[in-house]
């Protein structure tokens, strides 16, 4: 058995941050276990390649939820990164920190040090915003954030003008003074390549003698001596191996694999553990509960003007943009298809934005739930305008199915379980119709394909929402942070309640989901977690 000061499970959005920060001064030895393999993959490095990575057999865990009652019994597809960089290596790269009120809400729940003023230094430290630094934005950090306003598809102008006509204000920076308004997303790319935590944080650290990265290492259980975590057992090929942690074991395996590993290791609901023959190390009913995720749907339109469909559908178009990308690292393949964005309130009674907007100058059918065949769009000019909820009130749960660590857990996200979630998405559907009716949007819309002109009344729109909504791949909250062990899993310093030498540092600690895409706040949790660990060590 090898000994390290810190053993980190999961080289994802937070784990790569920890590996870098904890090994930086050479004082501590660090082992980083990753179930997946190298991120040196074309579909990872090329930004638009995430369309392939979403269903890649070796880059992705490819989870499926249980049938969701609110979706009429449909399952939800959950892509999760199984590769260095984790989901930051397969996501759509949109950089959104969240609203200040999100983090102030965390603090109000009994988590001192997690208000927006507290986490802002970590947000600024982690980024290299190519548009420059100010009181709210940082430069010189590992994660490069690129402004793509000057290179987006021309139809984005119609989208922006339509949004302003519909009552939204132009917002040049969703990570600035306010998140509200309509604009163009910033993305995590650098020189035409994806900027994941593997490239930004881990690659510079791998030359350090005190950091060991162990790939293809599937963690099977946490090792305990009494109530203290002392190491991790993992499977690598046919071999079962162990690493020992002199100081701490840190779980950064994500909102699915972190609670799964806790339960497999005897930390969870005692009834669940006993049912699967697992000895109870520590009773913690909240492990796997408080599951939250954003869901959304698109309105699909046939376009009067050319879209990315006309570029990416014919073979000669793909060849042209492929050559352009290879030679110049520019063009459509260097971007996300989520180009236009926005945040708005679905009603005047809302005190802050509760809905996110997406404009994609491309359209595609989804033969498999959640699949976006980005390089094989529809054979006609088309585009999408989508929405997703910022603050869902529905809560789900996650639980192991057996003591076999290679069996995927049971995931029940419980989407649309509350009337509030249904109502605000209905209001969002009405807003999309208002947006489509503006002059700039009418100029480019040939006709609405989905939900279709015959879907008019609230009952029909709600039926469409239940039929076509899906995850936007932001699960969190399954090992929630809080002061009370009866309602949370980790304390405000991210230590697992009731145990020693064990922390969780990833999106599973979110007590409430943040507004927008989760990669940036998860990286922030990695930075903040590293600060806490080093402070407690020294």
């Amino acid at each position: 058995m090898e000994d390290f000061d810190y053993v980190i499970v999961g080289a994802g959005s937070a784990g790569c941050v920890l590996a870098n920060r904890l090994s930086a001064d050479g004082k501590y030895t660090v082992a980083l276990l990753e179930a997946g393999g190298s991120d040196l993959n074309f579909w990872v490095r090329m930004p638009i390649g995430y369309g392939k990575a979403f269903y890649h057999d070796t880059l992705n865990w490819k989870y499926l939820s249980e049938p969701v009652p609110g979706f009429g019994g449909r399952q939800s597809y959950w892509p999760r990164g199984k590769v260095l960089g984790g989901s930051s290596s397969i996501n759509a790269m949109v950089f959104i920190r969240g609203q200040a009120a999100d983090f102030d809400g965390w603090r109000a729940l009994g988590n001192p040090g997690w208000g927006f003023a507290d986490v802002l230094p970590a947000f600024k430290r982690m980024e290299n915003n190519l548009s420059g630094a100010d009181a709210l934005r940082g430069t010189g950090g590992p994660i490069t954030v690129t402004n793509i306003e000057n290179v987006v598809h021309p139809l984005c102008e119609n989208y922006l003008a339509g949004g302003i006509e519909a009552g939204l204000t132009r917002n040049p920076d969703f990570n600035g003074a306010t998140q509200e308004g309509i604009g163009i997303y910033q993305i995590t790319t650098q020189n035409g390549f994806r900027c994941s935590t593997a490239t930004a944080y881990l690659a510079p650290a791998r030359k350090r003698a005190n950091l060991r990265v162990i790939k293809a290492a599937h963690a099977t259980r946490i090792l305990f001596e009494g109530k203290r975590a002392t190491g991790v057992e993992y499977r690598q090929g046919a071999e079962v191996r162990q690493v020992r942690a002199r100081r701490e074991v840190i779980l950064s395996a994500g909102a699915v694999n972190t609670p799964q590993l806790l339960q497999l290791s005897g930390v969870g609901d005692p009834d669940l553990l006993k049912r699967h023959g697992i000895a109870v190390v520590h009773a913690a009913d909240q492990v796997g509960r408080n599951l939250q995720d954003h869901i959304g749907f698109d309105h699909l339109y046939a376009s009067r003007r050319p879209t990315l469909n006309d570029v990416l559908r014919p073979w000669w178009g793909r060849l042209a943009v492929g050559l352009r990308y290879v030679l110049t690292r520019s063009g459509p393949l260097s971007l996300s298809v989520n180009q236009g964005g926005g945040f708005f309130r679905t009603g005047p009674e809302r005190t802050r934005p509760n809905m996110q907007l997406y404009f994609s100058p491309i359209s595609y059918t989804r033969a498999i739930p959640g699949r976006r065949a980005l390089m094989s769009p529809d054979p006609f000019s088309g585009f999408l305008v989508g929405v997703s909820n910022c603050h869902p009130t529905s809560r789900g749960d996650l639980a192991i199915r057996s003591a076999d660590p290679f069996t995927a857990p049971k995931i029940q996200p419980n989407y649309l379980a509350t009337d509030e979630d249904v109502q605000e998405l209905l209001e969002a559907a009405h807003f999309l119709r208002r947006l489509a009716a503006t002059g700039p949007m009418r100029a480019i819309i040939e006709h609405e394909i989905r939900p279709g002109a015959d879907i008019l009344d609230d009952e029909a729109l709600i039926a469409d929402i239940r039929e076509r909504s899906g995850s936007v791949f932001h699960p969190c909250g399954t090992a929630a942070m809080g002061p009370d062990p009866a309602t949370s899993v980790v304390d405000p310093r991210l230590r697992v309640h009731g145990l020693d030498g064990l922390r969780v540092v990833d999106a599973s600690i979110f007590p409430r989901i943040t507004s927008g895409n989760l990669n940036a706040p998860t990286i922030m949790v990695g930075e903040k977690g590293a600060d806490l660990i080093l402070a407690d060590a020294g």
Side-chain angles (χ1 to χ4, degrees):
M1 181 187 296
E2 297 180 275
D3 284 19
F4 298 85
D5 290 312
Y6 297 102
V7 175
I8 305 165
V9 179
S13 295
C16 288
V17 178
L18 289 170
N20 182 303
R21 298 307 192 194
L22 296 183
S23 65
D25 66 2
K27 186 175 181 180
Y28 304 112
T29 56
V30 179
L32 178 63
L33 307 183
E34 169 54 44
S38 172
D39 64 324
L40 292 173
N41 182 289
F42 181 74
W43 303 119
V44 170
R45 295 302 177 89
M46 182 181 70
I48 206 172
Y50 71 89
K52 292 286 188 182
F54 265 26
Y55 263 85
H56 200 282
D57 287 337
T58 59
L59 297 174
N60 201 316
W61 290 95
K62 300 198 301 183
Y63 290 118
L64 274 177
S65 78
E66 296 298 291
V68 181
F71 281 1
R74 288 187 295 118
Q75 292 178 287
S76 182
Y77 177 61
W78 279 28
R80 297 282 87 202
K82 187 181 182 182
V83 58
L84 293 179
S87 293
S88 78
S89 288
I90 69 166
N91 70 353
M93 299 160 292
V94 174
F95 186 85
I96 295 291
R97 297 191 308 200
Q99 298 169 15
D102 296 332
F103 304 101
D104 290 343
W106 288 11
R107 182 182 57 199
L109 291 170
N111 298 297
W114 289 92
F116 183 68
D118 304 307
V119 302
L120 180 59
F123 272 125
K124 293 178 68 176
R125 181 172 72 235
M126 76 191 217
E127 75 167 326
N128 181 31
N129 179 26
L130 296 183
S131 294
D134 58 26
L136 296 171
R137 303 300 302 272
T139 57
I143 295 291
T144 299
V145 181
T146 300
N147 187 326
I148 61 172
E149 283 189 335
N150 295 329
V151 294
V152 294
H153 195 277
L155 290 192
C156 288
E157 287 301 321
N158 293 76
Y159 163 75
L160 295 174
I164 292 170
E165 185 176 314
L168 303 183
T169 56
R170 181 76 164 85
N171 188 340
D173 185 2
F174 297 125
N175 301 293
T178 180
Q179 194 185 64
E180 191 162 12
I182 192 166
I184 301 298
Y185 283 129
Q186 299 168 354
I187 60 174
T188 50
T189 59
Q190 183 176 19
N191 299 324
F193 292 106
R194 171 187 294 274
C195 185
S196 68
T197 56
T199 57
Y201 283 92
L202 188 59
R206 292 188 72 175
K207 62 181 179 291
R208 298 172 186 162
N210 62 323
L211 172 63
R212 184 176 174 207
V213 179
I214 308 174
K215 295 178 291 186
H218 188 125
T220 55
R221 66 185 176 105
I222 305 160
L223 305 175
F224 287 96
E225 292 179 5
K227 293 282 188 175
R228 180 171 186 83
T230 58
V232 176
E233 181 178 274
Y234 66 95
R235 185 87 59 86
Q236 191 176 45
E239 298 291 325
V240 176
R241 298 175 177 171
Q242 295 182 345
V243 284
R244 183 177 179 85
R246 288 186 289 263
R247 288 181 173 268
E248 294 186 20
V249 173
I250 307 161
L251 303 187
S252 298
V256 175
N257 298 108
T258 283
Q260 178 192 25
L261 185 58
L262 284 169
Q263 292 170 353
L264 289 168
S265 307
V267 181
D269 180 349
D271 291 337
L272 171 72
L273 305 183
K274 292 173 184 176
R275 189 159 65 245
H276 297 302
I278 297 172
V280 178
V281 172
H282 180 65
D285 290 351
Q286 292 301 308
V287 172
R289 297 182 181 170
N290 192 48
L291 172 59
Q292 300 160 65
D293 189 16
H294 295 134
I295 62 168
F297 58 88
D298 302 316
H299 281 195
L300 166 64
Y301 303 94
S303 176
R304 299 177 187 274
R305 298 183 192 170
T307 68
L308 284 180
N309 293 12
D310 303 278
V311 175
L312 297 177
R313 184 70 187 187
W315 67 264
W316 58 86
R318 291 196 297 272
L319 177 62
V321 297
L323 286 173
R324 179 181 177 184
Y325 179 75
V326 168
L327 295 174
T328 67
R329 297 294 183 268
S330 65
L333 305 190
S334 68
L335 305 172
S336 170
V337 297
N338 293 320
Q339 297 183 3
F343 293 85
F344 68 99
R345 310 179 202 199
T346 58
E349 76 284 357
R350 304 280 180 178
T351 59
R352 59 188 177 122
N354 63 309
M355 200 63 57
Q356 184 172 3
L357 272 169
Y358 310 83
F359 176 79
S360 300
I362 191 171
S363 66
Y364 39 74
T365 56
R366 299 181 180 181
I368 303 174
R371 183 167 185 173
R372 299 188 172 196
L374 303 185
M375 297 295 288
S376 299
D378 292 320
F380 54 82
S381 302
F383 63 87
L384 300 169
V385 184
V387 291
S388 65
N389 51 5
C390 291
H391 314 126
T393 57
S394 299
R395 296 290 181 267
D397 56 72
L398 180 152
I400 54 173
R401 298 177 188 273
S402 75
D404 180 4
F406 294 89
T407 298
K410 178 181 178 182
I411 301 168
Q412 178 48 268
N414 212 25
Y415 299 131
L416 298 178
T418 68
D419 292 339
E420 182 177 348
D421 287 356
V422 175
Q423 182 61 33
E424 69 172 358
L425 285 173
L426 172 63
E427 294 166 356
H430 284 302
F431 176 83
L432 290 182
R433 287 278 173 74
R434 293 198 302 275
L435 176 63
T438 62
M441 292 298 284
R442 287 201 313 271
I444 61 174
I445 293 175
E446 177 67 38
H447 64 275
E448 180 184 290
I449 299 172
R450 293 179 182 168
D454 58 329
I455 306 297
L456 294 172
D457 61 41
D458 286 357
E459 184 178 348
L461 285 169
I462 289 173
D464 178 70
I465 290 167
R466 292 193 183 278
E467 180 182 345
R468 296 196 304 115
S469 290
S471 172
V472 292
F473 320 124
H474 299 161
C476 64
T478 48
M481 173 174 61
D484 185 357
T487 57
S488 62
V489 176
V490 302
D491 69 14
R493 299 192 74 79
L494 309 186
R495 301 169 298 200
V496 176
H497 288 299
L499 295 171
D500 296 321
L502 182 62
R503 293 196 209 221
V504 175
V505 184
D506 59 27
S508 61
I509 67 99
F510 289 20
R512 297 289 183 271
I513 196 167
T514 55
S515 307
N517 309 71
L518 259 59
N519 193 46
T522 304
I523 296 171
M524 178 278 292
V525 167
E527 288 276 8
K528 182 79 172 176
D531 288 347
L532 295 172
I533 292 165
L534 291 173
D536 289 349

